Amino acid sequence: MSTASARLEPATTPAGEPTRRVRKSVTALRSLGLLAAVAVLALIVVLSIGVGAKPIPMTDVVHALFQGNRTDNGIVVLDLRLPRTLLGIGVGAALGMAGVLMQALTRNPLADPGILGVNIGASVAVVIAIWIWRFADLTAYVWFAFIGAGLASVIVYLLGSRGRSGPTPVRLALAGTAVSAVLGAVISFVTLLNPDVFDQFRFWGVGSLSGVNGSVLWQVLPFLVAGAALTLGLSGSLNALALGDETAKALGSNINRTRILGALAVTLLCGAATAAVGPIGFVGLTIPHIARVITGPDHRWLLPYSMVLGPILLIGADILGRIVARPGEIQVGIITAFVGAPVFIALVRRRRIPEL
């Protein structure tokens, strides 16, 4: 056997065996952890359907789901809580993945999906739709919000990519901050001068899963699926990007292509999620750090964990909001702020935020 061929052979020395066993053990533990997280999510889903302002016996839940019973409890399950829970799964997964993606693209552990102007762009579009066209139906908001999110992301990317250095993390963050400030001023101007617009916008703007029917889920589902598939396909490139631009280039990664596709994925995920339920904070900021504590920096594991942990946080917050304010409820956007902020502070105090 030639020397070159010998170099390509996998290590079979006794010293290599412990390393392979350790890797297999780590993979097995991460797989078990992911399965445990899926089990927790399943439990949260059951609670979301059965628990609320009106407690519903589990027998009625089962009959409604598997037999289609249209009793009073069955109507609540099928027409209200099931679409709400399914949308919570999709939105939570999207925000969790978008948070990982934004922190990887900007190499900023405090980056939030809103840094590209997605949330504020959607909000401006909804305000304009209410103000000019007098739309009052949530279904009508979805498309305006999604278009606004996409346009804001494009503007941020164009501003952040000016110059010879291209769309660097710092440029994108600064451009996102500037665009968000301008669009926030537009929202304040319109809502302050038009109290009717403010009254309609405030229910969507706080972020809520309530009052959302199944049609909204089907409208945003293709964008959520496309964004999730694109994000998962970038996991290897994100690992290379985490090593720095020069190292990523040396490994054969096209960093500009990765950032462009990453920005597109964030727009699809956050645009669809924000369009459906309004802007919800702290999920995209907190979930990546929780997942990173479990998995480490490998995006091949970070992204699947975030897909599961995001819905757990979002639906759990939604359940809490229904219970603490019976017979009314507190919007999930408020609960995630109260729950997510202390969790994030605890993570910061417990350990130094890792460099990305």
Side-chain angles (χ1 to χ4, degrees):
M1 182 182 295
S2 65
T3 303
S5 298
R7 290 173 180 171
L8 296 176
E9 289 293 326
T12 57
T13 61
E17 289 297 329
T19 302
R20 283 194 291 271
R21 284 198 294 269
V22 169
R23 289 177 179 173
K24 289 181 179 179
S25 298
V26 170
T27 300
L29 287 174
R30 288 174 175 172
S31 300
L32 288 174
L34 188 58
L35 290 175
V38 171
V40 173
L41 176 58
L43 176 61
I44 291 290
V45 167
V46 172
L47 291 175
S48 177
I49 297 175
V51 177
K54 179 184 180 181
I56 298 177
M58 288 308 302
T59 54
D60 290 356
V61 172
V62 172
H63 290 159
L65 292 177
F66 295 100
Q67 298 178 9
N69 287 5
R70 303 293 296 183
T71 61
D72 290 343
N73 285 343
I75 291 173
V76 172
V77 169
L78 295 176
D79 295 348
L80 298 177
R81 292 189 184 173
L82 181 60
R84 179 176 186 159
T85 302
L86 293 176
L87 189 62
I89 293 173
V91 170
L95 294 177
M97 296 181 73
V100 174
L101 194 53
M102 278 306 307
Q103 292 175 11
L105 292 176
T106 62
R107 292 203 297 276
N108 180 358
L110 299 179
D112 182 82
I115 200 171
L116 280 182
V118 176
N119 292 347
I120 198 72
S123 299
V124 166
V126 170
V127 166
I128 292 174
I130 297 172
W131 177 37
I132 297 178
W133 290 283
R134 304 298 178 184
F135 284 124
D137 184 13
L138 180 61
T139 304
Y141 293 170
V142 170
W143 292 104
F144 279 92
F146 190 81
I147 292 170
L151 289 176
S153 298
V154 170
I155 293 172
V156 169
Y157 187 82
L158 291 177
L159 292 175
S161 61
R162 293 179 63 86
R164 290 181 297 177
S165 57
T168 63
V170 174
R171 288 177 179 271
L172 289 174
L174 291 175
T177 302
V179 170
S180 296
V182 173
L183 296 182
V186 172
I187 292 175
S188 298
F189 173 77
V190 174
T191 54
L192 287 175
L193 293 181
N194 299 271
D196 293 338
V197 175
F198 174 75
D199 287 339
Q200 285 186 247
F201 172 72
R202 64 192 178 94
F203 291 106
W204 179 87
V206 73
S208 176
L209 294 173
S210 64
V212 180
N213 56 41
S215 64
V216 173
L217 172 63
W218 290 113
Q219 288 182 61
V220 300
L221 185 61
F223 301 103
L224 293 176
V225 172
L230 180 57
T231 303
L232 291 173
L234 291 173
S235 58
S237 300
L238 294 176
N239 281 342
L241 193 64
L243 301 174
D245 289 2
E246 296 301 323
T247 304
K249 289 179 181 178
L251 293 173
S253 178
N254 188 330
I255 59 173
N256 287 331
R257 174 180 173 273
T258 299
R259 288 201 174 105
I260 291 173
L261 292 178
L264 175 60
V266 169
T267 302
L268 289 171
L269 292 171
C270 286
T274 305
V277 302
I280 294 178
F282 278 103
V283 176
L285 179 63
T286 304
I287 288 299
H289 291 286
I290 297 175
R292 200 171 285 112
V293 169
I294 302 171
T295 69
D298 190 346
H299 289 87
R300 293 172 299 179
W301 287 99
L302 268 176
L303 290 170
Y305 266 88
S306 297
M307 284 182 67
V308 179
L309 295 177
I312 290 175
L313 175 58
L314 187 64
I315 299 176
D318 187 45
I319 295 171
L320 184 61
R322 283 183 254 168
I323 293 175
V324 299
R326 285 178 176 173
E329 66 177 76
I330 301 175
Q331 283 76 10
V332 69
I334 299 174
I335 298 295
T336 55
F338 277 106
V339 174
V343 170
F344 184 71
I345 292 172
L347 286 171
V348 173
R349 290 176 60 86
R350 178 173 175 267
R351 52 182 287 174
R352 188 175 70 89
I353 296 179
E355 296 293 334
L356 302 178

